Amino acid sequence: MDTFDGDIGVWKSAPGKGRKTPKGRQVDDAALANVRALLGDRPRRRDLLIEHLHLIQDHYGHLSVQSLNALAEEMRMAETEVYEVATFYAHFDVVKDGDVPPPALTIRVCDSLSCELAGAQALKSALEDGLDPTKVRVLRAPCMGRCDTAPVLEIGHNHIDSATVEKVDAAIAADDTHPHVTEYQDLAAYRATGGYDKLESLRADGDWQVVQELVNQSGLRGLGGAGFPSGKKWGFVRAAEGPRYLAVNGDEGEPGTFKDRYYLERTPHLFLEGMLIAAWAVEADTCFIYMRDEYPVVLKILADEIARLEDAGLVAKGYIDLRRGAGAYICGEESAMIESIEGKRGLPRHRPPYVAQVGIFNRPTLVHNIETLHWIARICREGPEVLSSVEKNGRTGLRSYSVSGRVVNPGVHLLPSGSTITDIIEAAGGMAEGHVFKAYQPGGPSSGLLPASVNDVPLDFDTLQPLGTFIGSAAVVVLSDQDRVRDAALNMLRFFEDESCGQCTPCRAGCSKAVQLMQADKWDQPLLQDLCDVMQDASICGLGQAAPNPIRLTMKHFSEEVC
């Protein structure tokens, strides 16, 4: 309590020590200077938090508490906000006071299904036994989108396909830890084939509804997994009051999926022109491209080619905003991706409202997948017949199947949408020598597993639902008689357990409990079925709702393995 000392207007504080600084952790002057130097003249906007965290992580190899505190001060944000975002994403290494920073070099070994079939666990153990842990850190990692060359690992930012200990030793000796950019069709080569002519003609005097009708006539549906008719989205977004945005979902994290990377590393401008046509159609103020951090080559290609588009005057500087993910599968869910673009944790939003009305910065947002935009460019250049003229088994169109596992030629195979698993295995060169077809994953782990006997159903939209599954991202992993389906299902649930954002209890606790139950010699099937029902009915987003599929289909078709 303050006291009056007799002089009017003069007060003295009560007994005790006064504070020399504000409450809370004090900013380290050196850390603040370093953060300011790294950020340079970049804007300090809240939505750029993840980009700025990448700058610090890339420079120091980790995020110290002092750096996080300095970044919060510089961006005028609460330390808790910065800390919760940094600790949400797998690719940020937060080092607390007194903890030892990680070694300068990190090796991430993919342990998703295709890589596990190819011996990833043995490879990881061999690396852990043979490398000095004070110099090299060896971690498990989810799918890196290179399932066709399993097993795969990333050393620094250099991916090593068909990885061996010998290849890793050679890379370390040569300090080969940076991404290797592939040969691709750059802007000049693309324009030589008529690239961007369609975009320019549409900008001059095009009718967006005519283009929308062409997309509708082609039968194109969203190729990120949901399968919503692509053209219909345009009308929803265009009808809303601006400003409007376009967001590209490049977070291709569904294990077994690598089609988007395949196209981007070869023909990035087909995608970019398709994106700019869609942006023109909905009058988007900005195009945000959200690209997963596991694709450093793609990030480099896109950064270079976007700069070339700006230099050529095809887009205004800053119109295309390339954002880098940070290792979170949940950000493949469109509303979680939007949260991440806004610089937040990738927590899925409750819906409604839908992102077409309330998306980025609460404005109407058109969300498309990479391959969807690739096809939009082709439809505009070649006509809707490029898809609609292809028919097989009563289905229309083409589909890019990412095929891996026990086949001779894993890879992206462009086939009619009416293709069955028999057609797909044949296109991939047949079963690998010494392997007999037993089971397959039709569309990523979210789709579960089907037996080889289900071999006459087209792997397309709407055809697999009667079987309790779906096509999803068309990530096909083929298993043989040398594999246990229950082990594959467990691999899938471990992935979901690790990647659950934790926002809702049914998914967070359900995935963890499922993993515990699935490790038993004999599955408690009634309990697992009850758990599956709760997860499907009560989870907020598709992760928790679809995670039970591997469990259900394994119990249904491979009961002999779990009894």
Side-chain angles (χ1 to χ4, degrees):
M1 180 176 179
D2 292 339
T3 58
F4 183 57
D5 70 352
D7 293 329
I8 296 176
V10 180
W11 292 81
K12 292 183 178 180
S13 297
K17 295 181 179 179
R19 296 189 60 87
K20 295 182 179 179
T21 62
K23 289 184 177 181
R25 179 187 289 271
Q26 304 307 302
V27 179
D28 182 89
D29 291 339
L32 183 59
N34 290 336
V35 165
R36 285 175 174 167
L38 282 174
L39 267 57
D41 60 359
R42 294 175 177 83
R44 271 55 169 175
R45 298 196 318 264
R46 172 67 172 79
D47 62 290
L48 294 175
L49 173 59
I50 293 172
E51 297 297 309
H52 296 342
L53 288 170
H54 274 304
L55 286 173
I56 301 170
Q57 173 78 34
D58 289 346
H59 184 79
Y60 293 107
H62 65 277
L63 300 172
S64 68
V65 170
Q66 290 78 16
S67 292
L68 293 178
N69 177 238
L71 183 60
E73 173 73 14
E74 185 66 9
M75 296 186 70
R76 297 295 185 265
M77 293 177 60
E79 288 180 60
T80 51
E81 290 184 84
V82 175
Y83 183 82
E84 72 177 11
V85 171
T87 54
F88 182 86
Y89 296 93
H91 291 183
F92 293 137
D93 295 304
V94 176
V95 177
K96 299 179 182 179
D97 287 334
D99 288 352
V100 179
L105 186 60
T106 294
I107 296 176
R108 300 179 190 273
V109 182
C110 176
D111 68 354
S112 291
L113 183 55
S114 297
C115 284
E116 183 156 299
L117 294 176
Q121 295 299 338
L123 174 63
K124 180 174 179 287
S125 296
L127 292 172
E128 290 171 333
D129 293 341
L131 295 172
D132 183 349
T134 64
K135 297 180 179 179
V136 182
R137 179 176 57 159
V138 180
L139 303 175
R140 60 152 298 277
C143 187
M144 298 178 182
R146 310 182 77 87
C147 317
D148 51 333
T149 56
V152 172
L153 58 79
E154 185 180 31
I155 178 168
H157 288 297
N158 175 24
H159 283 100
I160 296 182
D161 298 324
S162 304
T164 63
V165 172
E166 292 72 24
K167 287 183 178 181
V168 171
D169 289 340
I172 293 175
D175 193 27
D176 186 9
T177 60
H178 303 288
H180 295 266
V181 177
T182 56
E183 290 187 12
Y184 66 92
Q185 186 183 44
D186 63 10
L187 178 59
Y190 183 68
R191 298 209 75 176
T193 67
Y196 293 106
D197 289 353
K198 190 64 179 179
L199 173 67
E200 292 186 303
S201 68
L202 289 171
R203 284 175 169 175
D205 57 5
D207 183 336
W208 75 272
Q209 290 178 312
V210 172
V211 179
Q212 181 189 41
E213 183 56 28
L214 290 177
V215 175
N216 289 337
Q217 289 174 14
S218 74
L220 181 66
R221 296 172 64 171
L223 296 170
F228 191 84
S230 300
K232 286 187 177 181
K233 286 185 177 183
W234 295 8
F236 296 150
V237 177
R238 177 85 182 222
E241 184 179 351
R244 310 176 191 91
Y245 298 110
L246 183 147
V248 179
N249 192 338
D251 198 67
E252 187 178 46
E254 188 78 3
T257 316
F258 48 94
K259 59 185 178 65
D260 292 350
R261 176 187 63 80
Y262 175 87
Y263 289 121
L264 289 172
E265 288 184 351
R266 289 161 178 80
T267 55
H269 283 283
L270 264 175
F271 149 68
L272 288 168
E273 184 171 16
M275 177 190 74
L276 292 173
I277 289 172
W280 160 82
V282 300
E283 296 183 329
D285 283 30
T286 305
C287 297
F288 293 89
I289 302 176
Y290 189 87
M291 183 56 53
R292 67 186 311 222
D293 197 31
E294 289 85 350
Y295 288 174
V297 171
V298 171
L299 283 161
K300 179 71 169 68
I301 290 172
L302 288 177
D304 290 347
E305 295 308 307
I306 290 168
R308 291 190 173 106
L309 287 174
E310 293 173 345
D311 292 342
L314 285 165
V315 296
K317 187 172 179 61
Y319 180 72
I320 303 175
D321 193 338
L322 178 61
R323 295 298 180 91
R324 176 181 168 191
Y329 164 76
I330 192 62
C331 291
E333 196 277 338
E334 63 178 9
S335 66
M337 174 193 68
I338 286 173
E339 289 287 298
S340 192
I341 288 172
E342 293 180 354
K344 305 171 187 174
R345 293 176 294 168
L347 300 178
R349 297 176 178 176
H350 292 270
R351 291 175 289 184
Y354 296 93
V355 300
Q357 280 74 46
V358 183
I360 298 173
F361 308 136
N362 294 324
R363 301 307 308 161
T365 303
L366 175 65
V367 178
H368 274 317
N369 167 259
I370 297 288
E371 191 193 358
T372 302
L373 294 167
H374 170 101
W375 282 112
I376 284 174
R378 290 195 59 181
I379 290 165
C380 290
R381 294 182 64 177
E382 305 170 42
E385 299 78 16
V386 68
L387 291 177
S388 62
S389 64
V390 180
E391 294 187 12
K392 183 171 183 174
N393 291 331
R395 310 299 297 177
T396 301
L398 292 165
R399 180 168 286 278
S400 302
Y401 295 98
S402 303
V403 187
S404 61
R406 308 300 193 182
V407 293
V408 174
N409 298 315
V412 174
H413 296 277
L414 184 62
L415 300 171
S417 297
S419 299
T420 65
I421 187 61
T422 302
D423 299 322
I424 292 168
I425 292 175
E426 182 180 352
M431 294 296 295
E433 185 177 357
H435 291 267
V436 177
F437 181 34
K438 177 180 179 178
Y440 64 103
Q441 167 190 287
S446 299
S447 68
L449 294 147
L450 291 174
S453 58
V454 180
N455 60 6
D456 59 351
V457 178
L459 269 61
D460 194 17
F461 295 118
D462 309 321
T463 58
L464 296 172
Q465 277 82 344
L467 301 173
T469 183
F470 50 86
I471 186 60
S473 60
V476 180
V477 180
V478 179
L479 278 64
S480 78
D481 58 337
Q482 298 185 27
D483 306 311
R484 290 208 310 170
V485 174
R486 60 171 291 157
D487 292 342
L490 178 58
N491 176 279
M492 296 171 176
L493 264 294
R494 281 176 170 153
F495 169 79
F496 291 131
E497 177 189 28
D498 193 53
E499 294 296 331
S500 172
C501 73
Q503 180 179 190
C504 66
T505 302
C507 177
R508 180 185 67 248
C511 289
S512 178
K513 184 64 175 178
V515 168
Q516 295 176 29
L517 294 170
M518 293 168 73
Q519 293 180 85
D521 292 336
K522 181 180 178 180
W523 287 10
D524 186 337
Q525 296 190 51
L527 182 56
L528 276 167
Q529 183 59 57
D530 184 54
L531 182 64
C532 290
D533 291 342
V534 172
M535 291 175 66
Q536 181 177 347
D537 293 343
S539 294
I540 290 173
C541 80
L543 191 157
Q545 293 163 12
N549 286 336
I551 304 171
R552 284 179 165 153
L553 292 174
T554 298
M555 293 192 298
K556 178 179 180 180
H557 298 292
F558 305 95
S559 58
E560 72 282 358
E561 292 193 14
V562 300
C563 291

